[in-house]
Amino acid sequence: MTNAMAAVYADALYELCAETGVCDEVLAQTKTVSQALKDNKDFIKVLDAPAITKDEKISLLDGIFSNNVHRYLLNCMKVMVKRGDGAALPGTLAEFEKRYNRANNIEKAVAVTAVPMSEAQSEKLRAKLRQVTGKTILLENRVDESLIGGVILEMDEKQYDDSIKSKLAALNKQLKNN
């Protein structure tokens, strides 16, 4: 299963949700389902297991999700299982979020720092990124004490490294080359 196929499922689900105004609700549910899949890694194996019939898999999905997720999301999962694409479910959920973010001018960013950022620092960085990109920024802060100081910003599938660790490494490389 390719990312392109997951994107096809996600786009179809998004378009249906957009037509009926339930994108926000379904987005929240895709995050919940994604976390459940991460917490229960064997569940995807069950959805892909040839020893389990498709009807049993559909019944399993109904039993777990019928009262917990919107019917569009549940039906998308059922279609994927019926077509033998259950393993693509995590990718489809991630692609739905990407599609939602594109449609709503939202950009996810991760700031990796040596110590946790304060709320004021986070807001200042969000404001700067919003000014540069023109998008609403969803900022996550990860801590990596090995950076010593500075920040690594991961955004739009790019990485901007302004950490002291990388500056020291560059200086070390320069000194070795001289």
Side-chain angles (χ1 to χ4, degrees):
M1 171 60 59
T2 65
N3 285 342
M5 186 57 76
V8 169
Y9 283 118
D11 284 345
L13 177 60
Y14 183 84
E15 291 301 322
L16 182 59
C17 292
E19 286 175 14
T20 56
V22 297
C23 289
D24 293 340
E25 176 185 354
V26 172
L27 176 65
Q29 293 168 355
T30 62
K31 291 178 180 182
T32 301
V33 172
S34 290
Q35 188 59 51
L37 295 176
K38 286 178 187 170
D39 293 343
N40 302 287
K41 297 191 184 301
D42 290 337
F43 187 72
I44 293 298
K45 292 177 185 175
V46 169
L47 293 181
D48 239 16
I52 302 171
T53 69
K54 289 180 181 178
D55 288 338
E56 290 171 322
K57 294 173 188 176
I58 299 298
S59 293
L60 180 63
L61 289 172
D62 275 329
I64 295 170
F65 296 111
S66 66
N67 294 321
N68 300 312
V69 299
H70 194 281
R71 63 186 164 97
Y72 295 164
L73 178 55
L74 179 58
N75 288 340
C76 178
M77 292 189 288
K78 288 179 181 180
V79 167
M80 293 176 71
V81 167
K82 284 181 185 176
R83 292 185 174 180
D85 296 331
L89 184 54
T92 299
L93 299 172
E95 287 295 325
F96 181 90
E97 182 178 5
K98 287 179 184 177
R99 178 71 164 83
Y100 178 94
N101 288 348
R102 277 194 310 272
N104 290 282
N105 204 31
I106 297 171
E107 184 73 42
K108 290 177 83 172
V110 177
V112 183
T113 56
V115 297
M117 294 174 66
S118 69
E119 187 54 42
Q121 291 169 321
S122 294
E123 185 49 44
K124 187 175 179 180
L125 181 55
R126 269 194 293 276
K128 182 64 175 174
L129 293 173
R130 184 174 36 249
Q131 179 186 2
V132 170
T133 65
K135 296 181 179 185
T136 300
I137 304 297
L138 296 179
L139 183 63
E140 176 188 343
N141 180 217
R142 284 193 216 133
V143 175
D144 178 354
E145 294 174 359
S146 74
L147 296 183
I148 306 168
V151 64
I152 297 174
L153 183 65
E154 299 167 356
M155 191 171 96
D156 194 25
E157 299 182 11
K158 294 180 183 139
Q159 186 178 69
Y160 307 93
D161 191 341
D162 192 35
S163 67
I164 292 175
K165 179 180 179 181
S166 69
K167 289 177 182 178
L168 289 173
L171 180 61
N172 187 27
K173 182 177 178 182
Q174 184 180 21
L175 290 172
K176 284 182 179 178
N177 289 336
N178 288 335

